[in-house]
Amino acid sequence: MKFIKRLLIFSLICIILGATTVFGFYLYVKPELPDVATLKDVKLQTPMQVYSQDGKLMAQFGEKRRIPLKIDQMPKELIDAFIATEDSRFYEHYGFDPIGIARAAVAVMISGSASQGASTITQQLARNFFLSNEKKIIRKIKEIFIAVHIEQLLTKDEILDLYLNKIYLGYRAYGVGAAAQVYFGKEVKDLTLSEMATIAGLPKAPSTMNPIYSLRRATHRRNVVLARMLDEHYITREQYNQAKSEKIVASYHGAEVQLNAPYVAEMARSWMVKKYGDDVYTSGKKVYTTIDSKLQEAANKAAVTNLLNYDERHGFRGAINQLWKTPSKAWDTDKIKHYLDDEPTYGELYPAIVTKVDDKTATVVVKHHGTQVIAWQDMNWARRYITDDRQGPLPQSASDILSQGDQIWVQPLPGSDQPDDLSSEDPNQLDREQFSHWKLSQVPRANTAFIAMNPENGGVKALVGGFNFVHNKFNRATQSVRQVGSSIKPFIYSAALDSGMTLATLVNDAPINKWDKSQGTAWRPQNSPPRYRGPTRIRIGLAQSKNVMAVRTLREVGLEKARHYLTRFGFDLDKLPRSETIALGAGSLTPMKLAQGYSVFANGGYYVDHFFIQKVDGPFGKTEYKAKPNVICDKECQSNDNTAGFDEQDADSDVHYAPRVISAQNAFLVREMMYSNIWGGGNWSHGTGWNGTGWRAQALHRRDIGGKTGTTNDSKDTWYDGFGPDLVATSWVGFDNHSRNLGHTTANPNIKNDMHGGESGAKTAQPAWIDFMKHALADVPAQHKHVPDGIVRVRIDRATGLLTNKSDYTSMFEYFIDGTQPTEYVSDSQSNNIYTSPSDGGDSLF
């Protein structure tokens, strides 16, 4: 009894000392303990994601990969795997496991160092949120106290929820959702038991036990996890054997980008940083743009294919490098593949090395696609490039084009077994895709921009800022200020209509010779081509892009009046030259600005600012920002329209009306001229038929489309701007070097649908517009022409623009703003519509 009494006293003293020690430690570390209540409102660092309007992922920004999941979204087997491996008594303890701590203490006494962990899941959560990973006793004490506080604050499921979303699992993957995507390219619900066990084994050493770094270590660790699950009766022996026998198939999977729109994604990133700051990268916000995935894909294909076609008809510039020359020893396949691994891929252009050249074929090794053969018909386009204006003779054999050891570019042909997104840079994805046909190609030196916009509200539906974002990140659609050439003419003619001219007004299509005293030279603007037809209606003048008619029309309007009139379309006055050259497109605009301007004609006279961010959702789905674009005014508000400028409106109003900047009648008549740019007019059977410069778009077989070509002096910039139902699109092609022109080509019979001659808006830029519209309008019904109030239609004489009683090929119906239609008949006078101007010698109209 005495011994028992002493033992009880000793035990009581130990308990008191232990409790006092624990309390002392608590008081010692209490000032350094964090407020665990912050876990109630914790915001996990998740990347920002950018989506199209229809929900396709375009980009992800942020170093940490995390896909937050609720506990009920995680498979039970995955949770069991973590509990069995990391904390088998998780549901029994109150934050720390005394048995585990005792086991770790024994290990310390034996080894003299903290070689064995004893942290529960709750302790790991405490460390991940509040502490470092250093192995010190004081850190472990803090960890225990914090864990106890966490257990008092949160439920077990809430702890698991935070832990499984927070824990680092290698390759910048945080949480099980990201790990499933990074290693297996799956959602957690689609993981096999073997894959779940592989992920559950990662916390011990995520950088060295993951299946990408070491498949052997990952397999061994997975088997340990499966054994623990079997011991804890979470799985059966049969499940254990099946999962253990399964081979781990893992590779790095980047963010599953579903839509290739990097220029738009970069615009969205910049917009978000400006609005929310740099913390936006870890905010988990989801940015929904106005981009339509179908239209974006069509724009990508149209713009890049058109640019490659331009580059191809100007000739082959040769190999970009020669790795060896005959008779030097050729590289072996492994050395070639290793070299190609470090070479970039630009969209659908892949680097390749020529290993053999026969008479009509060439054997190449393509990056990630092994040995391929280029057939003669896929390389015989490659006559030698000499200058932008000169090409060499057609090649007669493959050796005229390529040599062994050449480093070249190749692209998969249409119809090959190719992935939907050719922009993928994932080598593991590419290894699984085998293309059947390859074509010799090259990275173009010219560049392109393409924009499609909703003219009703300014929403950007598709945008291509250049040939390839990886190759060059400069966004030509929004940042490149280029001369607009004849694309400016619809705005000049709109000013003319506003000044009282009509579609039937005659302007003399004849050469201009104006002496410039200050320069001591004469200014002689010419048509392109230099053909003239005398007095001509301005409908034809715009449709056929008659330069001298545009200059004379500008004179009739007045230079300063025209310059200020153009600001109605959002153009900056200081970008519009104080010179008559403005009528020929000497002013400079970005493609985006030009598309906005054409939207005014398409929507009936309203100015709409472009926008590309539809809404921003927070990490839990709550909408934090929603665009409020200007909307087109309906009939109820038309009485308040301001046709002279921009309306002032309450910034807090839910509805913002777009200001009317030109009348509906003016917009309608300009559209009529742009219809004629495609469809022309006259009567072909009687020799009066004519085409507009955009006649190639007749291939679309739609009468509800219109547009205007644009070409600057020496073809430095080429454009096509036009519209279809609820859509405006602008295409541009040129060199980034403003001084370089797009050149001239001779016929190449080895190129299908070859367009030779001088480059121009119709040949160089319009094909992309046509190809885009072909896809964009494929499922859009043709729209009937809507004639606004105040427009009348009368029969006129084609030659003079006067009224006529005839109904044969010499006459036509024309539209006029009511009150401006002619009142005289052609039989009464043949010359009353002729106005002379002494500045051109008295023989011209205007």
Side-chain angles (χ1 to χ4, degrees):
M1 288 297 295
K2 187 180 291 187
F3 173 75
I4 294 174
K5 182 178 179 181
R6 290 176 178 174
L7 182 61
L8 288 173
I9 294 173
F10 177 76
S11 299
L12 181 60
I13 292 172
C14 288
I15 291 172
I16 293 172
L17 287 174
T20 302
T21 302
V22 170
F23 184 69
F25 272 123
Y26 177 72
L27 291 177
Y28 177 74
V29 301
K30 183 179 179 181
E32 301 177 23
L33 295 180
D35 182 8
V36 298
T38 57
L39 292 178
K40 278 286 188 180
D41 301 310
V42 68
K43 292 182 179 180
L44 295 172
Q45 292 186 356
T46 56
M48 178 182 72
Q49 295 178 317
V50 181
Y51 292 88
S52 65
Q53 186 181 46
D54 45 347
K56 290 193 175 182
L57 181 64
M58 292 160 49
Q60 180 168 283
F61 296 97
E63 290 187 4
K64 293 184 177 181
R65 294 280 302 277
R66 181 179 277 116
I67 304 174
L69 300 170
K70 297 297 183 183
I71 194 71
D72 56 5
Q73 295 176 297
M74 303 177 193
K76 184 177 184 302
E77 294 88 344
L78 179 63
I79 297 172
D80 291 342
F82 273 93
I83 290 175
T85 309
E86 297 296 323
D87 189 358
S88 60
R89 286 180 288 277
F90 173 71
Y91 285 105
E92 300 168 12
H93 63 66
Y94 296 98
F96 68 98
D97 185 359
I99 297 176
I101 292 175
R103 184 175 61 249
V106 171
V108 169
M109 287 186 289
I110 294 175
S111 64
S113 63
S115 60
Q116 185 173 348
S119 296
T120 64
I121 284 177
T122 313
Q123 287 176 259
Q124 291 182 53
L125 182 67
R127 181 170 67 248
N128 286 333
F129 270 102
F130 302 114
L131 301 171
S132 67
N133 288 321
E134 58 181 352
K135 292 184 177 181
K136 292 184 177 180
I137 295 296
I138 193 64
R139 192 269 293 167
K140 180 65 69 175
I141 293 171
K142 291 179 182 179
E143 187 181 283
I144 291 173
F145 287 132
I146 295 172
V148 172
H149 282 195
I150 291 173
E151 291 274 352
Q152 294 171 348
L153 181 70
L154 304 177
T155 66
K156 290 289 187 179
D157 282 351
E158 288 174 332
I159 292 170
L160 273 178
D161 189 310
L162 281 173
Y163 172 76
L164 294 174
N165 280 301
K166 172 73 175 177
I167 191 168
Y168 177 61
L169 296 171
Y171 275 88
R172 295 192 297 177
Y174 290 79
V176 295
Q181 173 61 43
V182 166
Y183 295 113
F184 303 110
K186 297 180 179 181
E187 295 183 23
V188 290
K189 63 183 179 62
D190 299 321
L191 294 173
T192 65
L193 178 60
S194 171
E195 291 166 342
M196 293 179 195
T198 302
I199 291 174
L202 293 175
K204 182 177 179 64
S207 298
T208 58
M209 287 188 174
N210 70 73
I212 297 177
Y213 180 86
S214 174
L215 186 61
R216 179 184 60 82
R217 292 182 181 180
T219 302
H220 173 75
R221 182 61 179 166
R222 176 204 63 181
N223 294 342
V224 170
V225 174
L226 290 171
R228 288 294 304 139
M229 293 181 74
L230 180 64
D231 291 344
E232 297 294 328
H233 306 293
Y234 287 128
I235 58 175
T236 64
R237 173 65 66 175
E238 182 180 358
Q239 288 176 303
Y240 169 79
N241 291 333
Q242 181 179 350
K244 187 178 180 181
S245 65
E246 185 178 311
K247 183 180 179 180
I248 298 175
V249 179
S251 61
Y252 180 79
H253 295 77
E256 286 189 285
V257 174
Q258 300 164 300
L259 177 64
N260 180 33
Y263 290 98
V264 183
E266 172 57 23
M267 289 166 62
R269 182 205 65 79
S270 178
W271 187 92
M272 289 292 289
V273 171
K274 185 176 180 180
K275 184 173 180 64
Y276 295 101
D278 290 336
D279 291 343
V280 76
Y281 296 124
T282 56
S283 66
K285 295 183 189 296
K286 294 184 178 181
V287 187
Y288 290 88
T289 66
T290 57
I291 296 298
D292 181 301
S293 63
K294 173 189 170 184
L295 298 185
Q296 182 65 43
E297 289 168 353
N300 289 344
K301 186 68 175 176
V304 173
T305 299
N306 179 58
L307 186 63
L308 291 173
N309 289 342
Y310 160 81
D311 196 64
E312 187 176 285
R313 60 180 176 262
H314 281 263
F316 182 56
R317 293 183 294 276
I320 58 175
N321 195 7
Q322 190 165 43
L323 305 183
W324 73 86
K325 292 183 179 180
T326 306
S328 299
K329 183 181 178 181
W331 288 13
D332 59 38
T333 302
D334 288 341
K335 186 175 181 180
I336 290 173
K337 289 183 176 180
H338 180 73
Y339 175 86
L340 290 174
D341 283 342
D342 294 329
E343 295 299 299
T345 298
Y346 298 135
E348 59 181 33
L349 294 192
Y350 294 85
I353 307 298
V354 179
T355 57
K356 183 180 179 184
V357 180
D358 294 317
D359 183 37
K360 297 293 183 181
T361 62
T363 304
V364 298
V365 177
V366 183
K367 180 178 180 178
H368 298 313
H369 296 283
T371 301
Q372 305 290 337
V373 175
I374 303 177
W376 176 243
Q377 66 268 24
D378 299 326
M379 70 169 88
N380 63 359
W381 62 268
R383 56 186 179 175
R384 184 168 59 92
Y385 167 88
I386 300 175
T387 69
D388 291 327
D389 294 298
R390 294 180 57 210
Q391 302 82 41
L394 290 172
Q396 302 301 311
S397 67
S399 60
D400 291 340
I401 306 169
L402 300 172
S403 300
Q404 190 183 94
D406 282 352
Q407 180 182 346
I408 59 173
W409 295 98
V410 295
Q411 67 180 117
L413 287 174
S416 299
D417 181 19
Q418 54 184 288
D420 293 333
D421 180 12
L422 289 171
S423 66
S424 172
E425 293 290 338
D426 179 5
N428 298 289
Q429 170 70 18
L430 295 173
D431 280 335
R432 293 194 291 270
E433 303 287 351
Q434 293 299 317
F435 300 164
S436 56
H437 297 90
W438 294 84
K439 176 183 179 179
L440 176 66
S441 190
Q442 59 189 354
V443 174
R445 290 180 176 173
N447 229 301
T448 189
F450 195 96
I451 297 169
M453 182 183 296
N454 181 349
E456 300 297 314
N457 62 12
V460 177
K461 310 305 290 183
L463 185 147
V464 178
F467 163 66
N468 183 271
F469 188 75
V470 175
H471 182 256
N472 190 308
K473 294 175 174 56
F474 181 66
N475 189 340
R476 293 152 192 86
T478 61
Q479 297 174 305
S480 185
V481 180
R482 307 294 300 215
Q483 282 197 353
V484 295
S486 295
S487 293
I488 202 68
K489 289 176 183 175
F491 306 99
I492 300 295
Y493 282 102
S494 175
L497 295 171
D498 191 66
S499 297
M501 295 175 69
T502 73
L503 300 191
T505 299
L506 293 182
V507 176
N508 199 9
D509 179 25
I512 293 175
N513 188 343
K514 180 182 178 182
W515 182 257
D516 187 336
K517 292 182 180 179
S518 63
Q519 297 294 326
T521 59
W523 183 49
R524 298 185 178 94
Q526 294 182 339
N527 289 341
S528 180
R531 293 195 290 266
Y532 305 88
R533 55 186 294 168
T536 304
R537 288 175 286 115
I538 68 170
R539 176 191 278 269
I540 300 175
L542 177 64
Q544 293 194 328
S545 199
K546 298 287 189 176
N547 288 338
V548 294
M549 289 182 65
V551 173
R552 286 192 167 95
T553 301
L554 175 68
R555 290 176 178 176
E556 181 67 10
V557 175
L559 176 59
E560 284 306 307
K561 181 179 178 180
R563 289 180 70 242
H564 284 84
Y565 183 87
L566 265 57
T567 62
R568 299 186 184 195
F569 301 91
F571 304 156
D572 297 330
L573 191 63
D574 58 359
K575 296 290 197 312
L576 303 172
R578 192 175 281 105
S579 162
E580 288 184 347
T581 58
I582 190 177
L584 308 182
S588 297
L589 300 168
T590 64
M592 179 70 81
K593 279 285 188 182
L594 201 52
Q596 281 182 205
Y598 273 81
S599 293
V600 175
F601 300 129
N603 67 30
Y606 298 91
Y607 178 82
V608 289
D609 264 320
H610 81 275
F611 73 106
F612 56 92
I613 303 295
Q614 186 73 48
K615 67 172 183 174
V616 178
D617 285 352
F620 301 106
K622 182 180 178 181
T623 299
E624 299 180 357
Y625 168 86
K626 190 171 184 179
K628 293 181 179 180
N630 288 351
V631 297
I632 301 301
C633 175
D634 57 23
K635 290 184 178 179
E636 294 180 0
C637 72
Q638 286 181 0
S639 60
N640 296 322
D641 284 346
N642 177 7
T643 59
F646 297 91
D647 293 334
E648 295 292 336
Q649 290 177 286
D650 184 357
D652 297 326
S653 173
D654 289 334
V655 178
H656 293 265
Y657 291 114
R660 177 178 285 287
V661 293
I662 62 174
S663 69
Q665 295 78 21
N666 186 300
F668 172 81
L669 293 178
V670 176
R671 289 201 303 274
E672 279 295 305
M673 290 189 277
M674 289 196 283
Y675 291 140
S676 296
N677 179 258
I678 293 174
W679 288 102
N683 190 308
W684 291 95
S685 62
H686 289 86
T688 63
W690 56 273
N691 270 324
T693 57
W695 61 268
R696 289 175 176 83
Q698 293 176 17
L700 296 174
H701 305 292
R702 297 186 70 116
R703 292 278 181 170
D704 56 354
I705 58 173
K708 181 67 187 73
T709 52
T711 310
T712 62
N713 285 345
D714 300 321
S715 298
K716 290 181 170 61
D717 294 278
T718 57
W719 303 80
Y720 197 78
D721 311 271
F723 58 87
D726 301 321
L727 196 63
V728 165
T730 288
S731 172
W732 170 85
V733 176
F735 285 98
D736 287 335
N737 179 355
H738 288 242
S739 65
R740 186 172 177 180
N741 64 51
L742 288 163
H744 184 281
T745 61
T746 54
N748 186 341
N750 293 338
I751 295 179
K752 185 179 179 181
N753 300 322
D754 176 42
M755 290 187 294
H756 55 278
E759 300 292 345
S760 64
K763 293 179 182 177
T764 317
Q766 192 189 24
W769 189 91
I770 294 171
D771 192 38
F772 170 79
M773 284 295 188
K774 177 182 177 181
H775 291 87
L777 302 181
D779 301 322
V780 179
Q783 288 188 353
H784 296 292
K785 186 180 297 184
H786 171 69
V787 182
D789 295 337
I791 291 288
V792 296
R793 190 167 180 251
V794 299
R795 186 180 289 275
I796 64 168
D797 175 66
R798 292 182 185 275
T800 65
L802 299 179
L803 296 174
T804 182
N805 290 318
K806 295 182 180 181
S807 59
D808 59 9
Y809 66 91
T810 66
S811 68
M812 62 173 286
F813 281 104
E814 186 57 281
Y815 292 100
F816 297 87
I817 298 175
D818 195 9
T820 66
Q821 64 268 33
T823 57
E824 297 182 51
Y825 283 82
V826 65
S827 58
D828 296 332
S829 172
Q830 293 290 335
S831 61
N832 285 351
N833 200 36
I834 306 298
Y835 297 89
T836 61
S837 172
S839 63
D840 289 318
D843 61 347
S844 65
L845 294 155
F846 309 136

